[in-house]
Amino acid sequence: MKIDELKTNAVNTWCPGCGNFGLERAFKQAVAELVDEGFNLNEFVMLSGIGCHAKIVDYIKLNSFYSLHGRTIPPATGIKLANQKLNVISFAGDGDALGEGLAHTIFAAKRNSNITLIIHDNRIYGLTTGQFTPTSPKGFKGRSTPQGSVEDPMNPVELMIASGATFVARTFTGNINQMKEIFKQAIKHKGFSFIDVLQPCFTYFNTFAVYQKDCYDIMEKKHDPSNFNQAIERAREWNYNGGPIPTGVFYKIDKPSFEEAELKGKDLRSKDIATISDILKTKI
Amino acid sequence: MNELSILIGGKAGDGVKLGANILARLFNRLGYYPFVYEDYPSLIRGGHNFAIVRAADKPVAANYDQFDILIALNQETVDKHKSNLNKGGIIIFDSDSVKAQGIGVPLTKIAQDNSLPLIVRNIISFGVLANVLNVDFKTVEDCIKSAVHKKIDENIKVAKEGYSIKIGKKINLSKLKNPAKPLITGNDAIAFGAVKAGLKALIAYPMTPASSILHTLAAYQDQLKIAAIHPENEIAVAIMAEGLAYAGTRSMVATSGGGFALMTEAISLAGQAEFPVVFILSQRPGPATGVPTYTSQGDLFFALHAGHGEFLKIVLAPGNVDQAFQLSADALNLAWKFQTPVILLTDKHLSESTYAANFKESQVKPELANIWNKKGEYKRYSFAKDGVSPLAFPGDKAVVKATSYEHDEFGITTEDIDPILNMVNKRLKKKESIIKYLKNKETVKVYGNKNSDTVLIAWGSTIGVVREISEELNLKAIQPLFLEPFPTNKINEQIKNAKKVICIEVNATGQLASLLKNNGIDVDKVILKFDGRPITLNELKNKLKAK
Ligand SMILES: Cc1ncc(C[n+]2csc(CCOP(=O)(O)OP(=O)(O)O)c2C)c(N)n1
Ligand code: SF4
């Protein structure tokens, strides 16, 4: 299919030069290719939090759940429980999924919910005009930290591997092809897929040139994504301050998903109503 | 004698709850309507727990604070409750650990001689009581078999030892003809009612007194072909349920005040995105952690005002298990009919007390929601006369866009003047639609002497005591089942000839009385109780007599 078919009437309001354009493009390409491979367009569901990233659901003609700030994961899990045929993909900001909604992110990994979480990691609160986030570098001068943040950044890739995610990757909006391939793999993966997308914010924290220079593909180093210790070691190579930045699939293993283990074949959209008389009899 | 009240008390871990349940099963078999109130502090071992088991010749939902029999598994039961023993009452006690006058039985020794844990003292004393009431041992055996699931023969054996102890005085309890009924709690009824209305997923985080909804549905999840999920916190609970609803699954959440506080952002989201989800709010005394295992009706205003912004909300409050079963099903059906959050208010007293159920499984069923006819391009928020846009779900041949932002008919964000006004008005239309829909439904119950010019008004579990006293004192009692939309007209109709309107509530500020006043209905007097305990029958009678 052509990616133009995924266009809506919404007017795009991202700043010119924003990394979100590349991310949107790569995702649409991934969807188009998956549809060509036999996926059903009506079975994609996008979710988003609140922030610049979140506008993506207005721009793509797919089912969507435009949630609250920090809350893409719980409804994504609910949607997957309701209908396991659906491909459920959450789009969240770094403030969104690692700040406001961090507990949900860790639990999605812990329970291996069969959903995909894409972080638009611009390392800034974009929509609220430039405050530091959990992944901003130490010393970052934002509007809430004019003297420089005194906190060390969080490393979401390491955190997700440690929390039980079964697919963990990092990519960069300057590398559309890598992004698209990773999105496709993540959507196909059975279990929780986490992708940290380095997405420069043109207006408040333009990191494009640095990423262009520092990002490298971990396959160049013969990385084995099924090896937990190697994955953690690679994840620790970059601590969200300076230095070379590994990208690619860090970790990928097979494990039963939360939804299949929890439901054991039950269909939560079934119209059948169970009888309660057998239960009531035991209460006499 | 055709009315009896028994208090069984011990420390946590003594099996007071099971003891009370077996007593209730006995009365059930003797043709009585049991009611069990449980009183326990928030701890796992030690402390003082008791349960009051009442047997009445009609369905009841309240208890006395005077008893005919005390069963004392600890000294505190005697010390605290002896003064509430009726004239001629009997104390059955463990003579190995309790000092009292009455029927002392070496319960501890009997348990030890049979190499059984001390928890069986509840069963031995049950045997003693059955003998006091002149019940044949076959019925005793039958009760034990129905309530106990482990070491049944051993339990029957020690019950027999208790039953065989010689006693002087007996109580003659006449056998009645009523058939035995299922004995369930308000929370059970809420769980079952929702299932019969098509519930497929209960999402909850444990919090007394709502937890047993989760426990019950988790225990029966395979039999009922539903999911019972316990996520990381109540924020996740509520929005997960909304994800399920968005994708076409009937879902519900259950919590108490503290958890409900965390859910308010989701209630607002359900208002804006028009998600059909039922929120069970089982009240306990607040603020904050408050008194976790006791009862209150202090969250009426919180429920009515939960969630920022202006949107339609439906708030219901059942007063006994039969109403809980019906209104829980109604809540789910209304949520889907009007695509809006529905709050079902209960409290510890209704949630955890055990009642004789008279509802029929077949009295409720899933009612159809407004589903998209699959013609033309789908718009999730299409303008409709009644404000209710047809539903489609992901997977259908439609693009289903739900959103927390203000939006156009497709669900795309808007900040323009006309689209904002149109969508706000569309949502508010649903309020008119539901008011119209409820016109011919029973939203107010009337009890007692319908011609009395003294009218008692109560909501939720408190109607149990109010109803019974209104019948005894020949007064009128009314109960709003709906608190939002508030049935002002129907209440006015019922009080138009009243000389005195008295509002009775288990909270400190008289919230129903304020709500009535806000709707132009004057209340002459309020009777309030707010110590965590429900109002008892003697208490209300005395307060009404004192005027
Ligand atoms: C509960 C709540 N708190 C705060 C906000 C305000 N808010 C809107 S977007 C945002 C942060 C956005 O940052 P991020 O999630 O990183 O997304 P970005 O805009 O950078 O894409 C905040 C704090 C909100 N909408 N809801
Ligand atoms: S503020 Fe930054 S993240 Fe937001 S649209 Fe502009 S460039 Fe993109």
Side-chain angles (χ1 to χ4, degrees), chain B residues 439-490:
Chain B
K439 231 175 208 155
N440 302 318
K441 307 267 177 212
E442 187 181 43
T443 54
V444 174
K445 286 246 178 210
V446 183
Y447 311 100
N449 172 8
K450 304 198 168 145
N451 299 317
S452 167
D453 58 13
T454 299
V455 179
L456 313 179
I457 307 187
W459 64 285
S461 66
T462 304
I463 195 64
V465 61
V466 170
R467 173 190 184 168
E468 203 172 330
I469 293 299
S470 75
E471 285 163 359
E472 192 181 327
L473 301 183
N474 215 18
L475 307 174
K476 183 173 187 173
I478 63 176
Q479 172 200 14
L481 297 172
F482 278 69
L483 294 153
E484 174 67 35
F486 195 62
T488 310
N489 292 343
K490 286 184 191 165

Side-chain angles (χ1 to χ4, degrees), chain B residues 341-385:
Chain B
V342 179
I343 299 166
L344 187 92
L345 272 168
T346 169
D347 55 36
K348 188 265 170 188
H349 193 47
L350 171 57
S351 282
E352 295 194 348
S353 297
T354 301
Y355 303 65
N358 290 300
F359 61 76
K360 286 209 174 52
E361 173 165 11
S362 57
Q363 78 191 41
V364 300
K365 62 173 193 313
E367 283 163 25
L368 286 185
N370 182 358
I371 301 289
W372 181 51
N373 63 9
K374 305 205 159 121
K375 294 207 179 99
E377 189 173 14
Y378 180 67
K379 297 182 197 164
R380 171 63 191 94
Y381 301 107
S382 61
F383 296 127
K385 249 206 192 125

Side-chain angles (χ1 to χ4, degrees), chain A residues 42 57-58 60 62-64 66-67 71 82 104 111 264 266 268-270 272 274-276 282-284, chain B residues 25 29 183 196 200 222 226 232 235 243-244 246-247 249 265 275 361 395-396 398 400-402 404-405 413:
Chain A
N42 293 315
V57 297
D58 273 348
I60 301 185
L62 286 175
N63 296 313
S64 61
Y66 204 149
S67 190
R71 315 282 178 238
H104 312 311
R111 56 174 81 101
K264 298 173 291 191
K266 276 179 229 165
L268 299 187
R269 303 217 305 151
S270 158
D272 298 344
T275 171
I276 56 169
T282 67
K283 310 276 182 188
I284 293 173
Chain B
R25 287 175 191 259
R29 281 161 176 71
L183 304 177
K196 293 311 292 184
K200 294 290 171 200
D222 288 348
I226 62 160
E232 58 272 25
I235 295 172
L244 279 146
Y246 162 78
T249 293
E265 66 165 19
F275 294 137
E361 173 165 11
D396 294 351
V400 187
K401 291 185 110 53
S404 69
Y405 268 98
T413 307

